[in-house]
Amino acid sequence: FSSLLRAWQGVQVSCPRVILYFVGAGDRRPWEDYARRLGVAPSVRFMGPCLDVDVWFRRAAVSVLPSRREGMSNALLEAQSWGVPAVVSDIPANRAIVDDGGNGFVVPVGDDRALARRLSDLLASPALRIEMGRLARQKMERQFDVERIAERLIGVYATIRQQVNSTMLHS
């Protein structure tokens, strides 16, 4: 969150009416204090846990995941499936989901200026958000649909079975 809140200072200069929402569990007090120290607290809301996250995805203009390290994020997959473009840090799991300049932007890990610039680019351009959101939704349907993943998994198991059977025949 530290990188995102620092980047938010730059976003506020170019997009002063935009609000940053944090949705999810965790102790928000240190982050609320940090946002106050940075001077961005008036434009930041910590919403806490939410049972119906779809409400937030329907409202979102952009999804942001500036992780330093992380596995494949369900929140990012869900946002993309809702057609929400993303700005993410350049780590392997994020790159598997976001194509830089396609369904979102990928920025160097910890680069607050790049994060602010790309967030501002998306927030300032409804047309860009719509196009990237469309591409996000398409990618989710094409590559991450449950049926497609199940088909690929079945194919992997079939390949393994063939290799095991072939090895047993030659033993």
Side-chain angles (χ1 to χ4, degrees):
F1 294 166
S2 58
S3 182
L4 176 53
L5 288 169
R6 286 190 306 270
W8 199 247
Q9 291 175 300
V11 173
Q12 285 297 281
V13 171
S14 59
C15 305
R17 293 190 189 132
V18 176
I19 303 293
L20 173 63
Y21 291 94
F22 287 87
V23 179
D27 185 1
R28 63 192 199 195
R29 288 172 300 188
W31 300 112
E32 289 171 333
D33 292 342
Y34 191 59
R36 273 192 291 280
R37 285 195 310 272
L38 293 174
V40 297
S43 65
V44 176
R45 307 285 186 278
F46 291 89
M47 306 313 295
C50 178
L51 295 176
D52 187 10
V53 293
D54 295 353
V55 169
W56 292 102
F57 290 127
R58 282 193 295 271
R59 293 179 61 181
V62 178
S63 173
V64 59
L65 190 64
S67 307
R68 288 180 172 84
R69 58 183 180 268
E70 183 163 344
M72 190 165 287
S73 168
N74 283 335
L76 179 57
L77 289 167
E78 289 175 33
Q80 293 271 287
S81 73
W82 276 95
V84 179
V87 180
V88 300
S89 55
D90 191 2
I91 59 174
N94 289 346
R95 274 205 168 278
I97 299 169
V98 178
D99 304 316
D100 189 36
N103 56 341
F105 290 116
V106 178
V107 299
V109 174
D111 188 337
D112 304 341
R113 287 184 181 158
L115 183 60
R117 184 176 59 252
R118 289 310 196 181
L119 284 168
S120 295
D121 290 346
L122 276 169
L123 292 168
S125 176
L128 181 61
R129 284 196 314 272
I130 289 168
E131 178 58 17
M132 285 187 162
R134 184 184 66 76
L135 293 172
R137 176 82 180 145
Q138 282 180 350
K139 183 169 185 172
M140 291 303 101
E141 290 172 349
R142 192 175 60 251
Q143 292 183 12
F144 294 96
D145 178 76
V146 171
E147 289 179 19
R148 296 213 194 303
I149 290 173
E151 289 170 7
R152 284 187 281 194
L153 188 56
I154 290 168
V156 168
Y157 284 133
T159 301
I160 291 170
R161 187 181 69 211
Q162 288 173 345
Q163 290 173 349
V164 168
N165 288 341
S166 176
T167 302
M168 294 175 99
L169 289 174
H170 297 302
S171 299

